[in-house]
Amino acid sequence: MERSFTRRTLLGSAAALGGATLLGPRTGTARAARPAAVPDRAWPTRFALPNGFRPEGITIGRTPFAWFGSLADGDVYRAELATGRGRVVIEGLGRDRSVAGLKIDLAERRLYLSGGLSREIRVADIRSREIVRNFSVARSGSMVNDVVLTPGAAWFTDSLRPQLYRLPVDRDGEPGREVATLPLGGEWEQGSEFTANGITRTPDGRALLVVNSVVAGGSLMRVDPRTGVARRVALGDLKIPRGDGLLLLGRDLYIVQQRLNRVEVVRLNDTGTEGTPIARITDARFRVPTTAAAWGRRIYLPNARFDVQPGPDTDYDVVAVERV
């Protein structure tokens, strides 16, 4: 693994999340930064997923378990970080009903699932292991890719159309029954094919950050959740043409560049309008990682292996690297 960065004092997540917010600090990314959540040195830094699973998204909640969605058939797999062992805990809806991005809520009661090219947004109940909400959004030619949770909503990206989706969530964590569409404007540019990808919030919680693979050769965009107006985040000379999942820890943003087999780490200002690249993580075990989630001092990434033809015998795994 290679790192090249200027070391600075990291801000605590509590300081980074202080003050009034629009989207709020109640997200899995900030929660995973707890210093008390330190994995044992004996925990595996690499473990297998089922052959043919085709992972894309990962989420980790308040307990040391990682959840993965399958592009093959929409299954959800849960693995114990201490051992690497796991099993399918939620049955998918079958072929062409994939799960791309996914996030677990604060209470660890529900999973919010992005349905990819099925154009579906789903909510799964962890206790009953059933899909309790299933929304068909947009029209043919859309792709629901990634998701982030905020106190009042789950936000989803569409990789093929210039819009986000908002599913309201009430104070008790109950998801709503209608999904709203937010058109993207401002400096947003939509390519002829795949454009939007990962999504998270700004450190101050007032806006959303979304990967755009088209603007200036690959950029991070700051989106006003009220208007949809997007502005490019100043990242110096850094481009993210293969940007995928986003992981925000305090003010440090981890940007997974999947086919480049690396993770860019950027220190953002509070408002998310600009950031300074501070590290690049590479690892010989990376095989097109797509998304990232944190537990303690580790970052976990599933290898999606988009560079090979998938089949029922294709092997997949998860690797862990140290946080910056």
Side-chain angles (χ1 to χ4, degrees):
M1 181 171 61
E2 168 192 310
R3 283 193 179 86
S4 173
F5 60 92
T6 302
R7 292 186 176 273
R8 299 180 184 176
T9 302
L10 294 177
L11 294 182
S13 58
L17 296 173
T21 60
L22 178 64
L23 298 173
R26 197 183 70 182
T27 66
T29 53
R31 186 174 63 247
R34 298 174 302 169
V38 179
D40 190 288
R41 290 180 181 272
W43 290 12
T45 59
R46 184 177 191 173
F47 54 85
L49 296 174
N51 284 1
F53 185 77
R54 295 179 60 194
E56 208 277 349
I58 179 175
T59 186
I60 298 174
R62 295 181 293 106
T63 54
F65 294 89
W67 308 70
F68 306 88
S70 169
L71 293 176
D73 57 11
D75 281 352
V76 175
Y77 182 91
R78 190 184 78 159
E80 183 181 12
L81 298 180
T83 64
R85 294 191 294 267
R87 61 190 176 94
V88 171
V89 292
I90 297 172
E91 296 288 340
L93 300 181
R95 187 177 178 181
D96 300 325
R97 308 286 291 279
S98 65
V99 168
L102 74 166
K103 287 294 184 295
I104 192 168
D105 67 4
L106 184 62
E108 294 195 330
R109 293 178 54 193
R110 300 175 181 87
L111 286 165
Y112 290 78
L113 312 174
S114 302
L117 290 171
S118 73
R119 310 189 315 279
E120 293 174 337
I121 287 172
R122 306 182 202 118
V123 183
D125 184 278
I126 291 174
R127 295 174 183 173
S128 68
R129 300 181 182 177
E130 295 180 349
I131 306 295
V132 295
R133 296 277 197 280
N134 191 0
F135 305 91
S136 182
V137 298
R139 53 194 172 99
S140 179
S142 295
M143 178 183 177
V144 184
N145 193 332
D146 209 349
V147 54
V148 65
L149 298 183
T150 68
W155 290 88
F156 299 79
T157 56
D158 188 326
S159 290
L160 300 178
R161 297 193 181 277
Q163 55 200 23
L164 302 178
Y165 305 108
R166 181 184 185 272
L167 173 61
V169 178
D170 69 19
R171 291 180 178 272
D172 297 322
E174 185 70 19
R177 296 188 176 275
E178 293 185 3
V179 176
T181 300
L182 179 70
L184 296 174
E187 296 176 356
W188 188 269
E189 295 178 21
Q190 186 68 27
S192 58
E193 297 180 349
F194 203 92
T195 302
N197 206 319
I199 183 171
T200 189
R201 52 157 186 79
T202 55
D204 66 4
R206 295 182 180 275
L208 297 164
L209 298 172
V210 180
V211 170
N212 183 300
S213 62
V214 173
V215 173
S219 298
L220 186 67
M221 308 297 289
R222 183 183 187 276
V223 177
D224 187 323
R226 297 163 298 187
T227 65
V229 172
R231 297 283 181 253
R232 182 184 174 195
V233 178
L235 299 179
D237 295 331
L238 179 64
K239 297 184 184 299
I240 50 171
R242 297 295 185 177
D244 200 323
L246 299 177
L247 172 64
L248 182 69
L249 300 176
R251 279 183 17 198
D252 289 347
L253 180 66
Y254 292 71
I255 306 171
V256 184
Q257 293 239 61
Q258 27 118 316
R259 287 183 184 264
L260 298 181
N261 285 312
R262 66 196 193 203
V263 180
E264 314 287 357
V265 187
V266 174
R267 183 151 303 143
L268 297 169
N269 61 2
D270 284 341
T271 57
T273 57
E274 60 183 47
T276 302
I278 60 170
R280 171 174 291 166
I281 302 173
T282 62
D283 194 289
R285 300 169 300 164
F286 284 170
R287 299 189 294 172
V288 191
T290 44
T291 49
W295 181 264
R297 296 298 308 176
R298 290 181 178 177
I299 306 294
Y300 290 84
L301 305 100
N303 279 316
R305 305 199 67 191
F306 288 155
D307 56 342
V308 301
Q309 182 65 34
D313 297 323
T314 305
D315 67 290
Y316 296 97
D317 62 358
V318 183
V319 298
V321 298
E322 290 185 6
R323 280 177 56 180
V324 171

